[in-house]
Amino acid sequence: MKRKAIGVILAGVITVMISACGGTDSGAQATDAQGDISATESAEEVVVKPTAEPTRSPEEVIDEALTEGRNYYYGYNDVTADNDKAMEAFEKAADLGSADAFYYIARIQDRAEEYEKAKESYDKAVELGSSMAKIGLGMLYQKGKAVDKDFDKARALYEEAIDEGCIEANVGLGDIYQSGYGTDADAVKSMEYFELAATGDETEWVCYAYMSMCYLNTGVYEGIEKNEDIIDEYGEKLCDLCRNWNPENMDYVGLAFELAENYEMANKYFEKGEQLGDAESINRMTRLYFFGEGVEQDYDKALEYAEKAGSMGNVHGMENAADMYRYADYGRQDIDKAVEWYEKAAELDDC
């Protein structure tokens, strides 16, 4: 009996010694395990799962795409004008059924002389409710591009757009009366329509109105006296609006001053166009120096401008350079160079 009692006592002592020396304590293990579980559960409770971004409505996507497209179309907000990028943005909005997007797509196609495509896009824009598209569609009927020429149809489209609140459509009626399309020409009435259009918001048609009013004030239209101050006023407004996306309008203002026989002012606007890289404005400088209009006659300068314009792909510049090299009258005859420029012009000119 004593031995058994001693064995039990020894076993108890050994157990206590193992515990004291860091041996495994099943009770402590259980406690630690429970602690870990509690900590894990607590951590899971405070984890914040990322919330999904709210889905944008089709209207929001359209607005964003139209803003981006207009920035690239007009060169707004420090963006370089780029029709390819503008088209990409407008197509996103068009996929969601935006009438405005189809209108701008049509304008890009129209300016690229893709008239069949432009007609389809204008029609789609009108179908979706765009009044502005009726201006472009009317211009196609007025000029007979992709459709038979029809002045009555053009006029009806302009008037419909105006009735719908599109004040810019007055450019169409202004055009009709300026040139006498299907009616008697009336410069005074034309001016009234262009003045209305110029109060609109769409940059492209406002520019069109300013450009047209520059010509109406050159003194060559019955009922309107020559007014060079107004040409310059509208010319400056036109240039401010178009310098980022369509610098060739400088050329039109310069031509208006040529019609008014103010070659010094013509030169001013051609130089503006040159600074903005407009090849036609550069080519116009050829004429001024060739004839000595507003500047001292200088054949070398004339040839320099012709070749510069030609090297930028301007057919008229190529032809002017070729002519100056062809004839001995100007002291620069070089038949090989003349042939070279004529051949380049022939490759581009499909007239």
Side-chain angles (χ1 to χ4, degrees):
M1 294 294 293
K2 287 183 180 179
R3 287 184 179 178
K4 185 176 180 180
I6 292 170
V8 172
I9 292 169
L10 287 173
V13 171
I14 292 170
T15 299
V16 172
M17 290 174 64
I18 291 172
S19 297
C21 293
T24 302
D25 184 336
S26 59
Q29 285 181 328
T31 301
D32 291 344
Q34 289 174 354
D36 291 341
I37 292 171
S38 297
T40 302
E41 290 175 348
S42 177
E44 289 178 350
E45 289 174 2
V46 298
V47 170
V48 179
K49 295 181 179 180
T51 55
E53 291 186 8
T55 303
R56 292 185 301 165
S57 68
E59 292 76 15
E60 290 173 322
V61 175
I62 288 172
D63 286 345
E64 182 179 292
L66 287 177
T67 298
E68 180 183 2
R70 282 171 59 83
N71 283 342
Y72 280 116
Y73 186 77
Y74 285 121
Y76 286 161
N77 299 315
D78 298 322
V79 170
T80 301
D82 186 322
N83 278 344
D84 290 336
K85 290 182 179 179
M87 178 68 87
E88 185 178 340
F90 290 138
E91 285 175 342
K92 291 179 185 176
D95 288 341
L96 293 172
S98 167
D100 288 341
F102 278 105
Y103 161 73
Y104 283 112
I105 288 171
R107 289 307 301 153
I108 292 173
Q109 293 165 335
D110 198 331
R111 289 171 60 190
E113 298 182 0
E114 297 174 348
Y115 299 117
E116 295 286 348
K117 292 181 179 178
K119 170 68 165 55
E120 292 179 9
S121 298
Y122 282 135
D123 283 339
K124 185 64 177 178
V126 170
E127 177 189 330
L128 291 171
S130 171
S131 299
M132 199 77 70
K134 292 181 180 180
I135 306 175
L137 193 57
M139 291 287 182
L140 292 184
Y141 280 104
Q142 186 173 301
K143 298 172 183 177
K145 302 293 187 182
V147 293
D148 291 333
K149 190 175 290 188
D150 189 333
F151 297 135
D152 291 337
K153 178 68 172 176
R155 185 186 191 112
L157 284 165
Y158 301 144
E159 290 176 342
E160 285 174 17
I162 292 168
D163 289 343
E164 292 165 1
C166 179
I167 197 168
E168 292 88 348
N170 281 285
V171 298
L173 297 181
D175 230 23
I176 284 175
Y177 283 105
Q178 181 178 10
S179 301
Y181 292 132
T183 187
D184 292 333
D186 188 329
V188 174
K189 189 175 288 188
S190 174
M191 177 71 82
E192 292 172 357
Y193 284 119
F194 284 128
E195 285 174 343
L196 282 172
T199 65
D201 296 320
E202 186 60 36
T203 298
E204 187 165 8
W205 298 118
V206 173
C207 284
Y208 193 103
Y210 282 138
M211 179 181 69
S212 300
M213 288 190 288
C214 284
Y215 282 102
L216 285 169
N217 280 278
T218 57
V220 300
Y221 289 88
E222 185 177 350
I224 301 178
E225 294 182 2
K226 179 166 68 174
N227 192 324
E228 295 178 13
D229 290 337
I230 289 181
I231 298 174
D232 194 32
E233 177 188 343
Y234 287 145
E236 287 291 345
K237 290 180 178 179
L238 173 64
C239 293
D240 286 342
L241 287 174
C242 74
R243 66 176 65 252
N244 292 332
W245 68 283
N246 196 12
E248 69 183 33
N249 281 333
M250 317 299 182
D251 165 49
Y252 294 128
V253 182
L255 284 174
F257 274 112
E258 276 200 28
L259 280 175
E261 298 182 342
N262 186 332
Y263 301 110
E264 183 178 344
M265 289 298 291
N267 186 45
K268 167 188 168 181
Y269 281 96
F270 292 147
E271 285 182 342
K272 284 187 176 187
E274 179 188 12
Q275 290 166 7
L276 293 171
D278 174 42
E280 189 57 39
S281 291
I282 293 169
N283 176 60
R284 297 290 179 186
M285 301 289 283
T286 300
R287 173 184 170 83
L288 294 185
Y289 279 98
F290 187 87
F291 292 105
E293 295 176 333
V295 293
E296 185 177 346
Q297 188 177 47
D298 188 329
Y299 290 144
D300 287 333
K301 278 277 191 182
L303 180 59
E304 178 185 333
Y305 280 115
E307 290 191 302
K308 183 176 180 179
S311 67
M312 295 170 69
N314 183 274
V315 173
H316 297 131
M318 295 175 185
E319 292 171 341
N320 285 333
D323 285 346
M324 291 194 72
Y325 279 123
R326 177 181 178 182
Y327 299 105
D329 303 38
Y330 318 118
R332 284 144 196 83
Q333 188 175 40
D334 188 324
I335 299 302
D336 290 339
K337 286 186 177 181
V339 170
E340 182 182 340
W341 279 116
Y342 279 135
E343 287 177 343
K344 288 181 178 180
E347 289 174 5
L348 295 177
D349 192 357
D350 57 1
C351 297

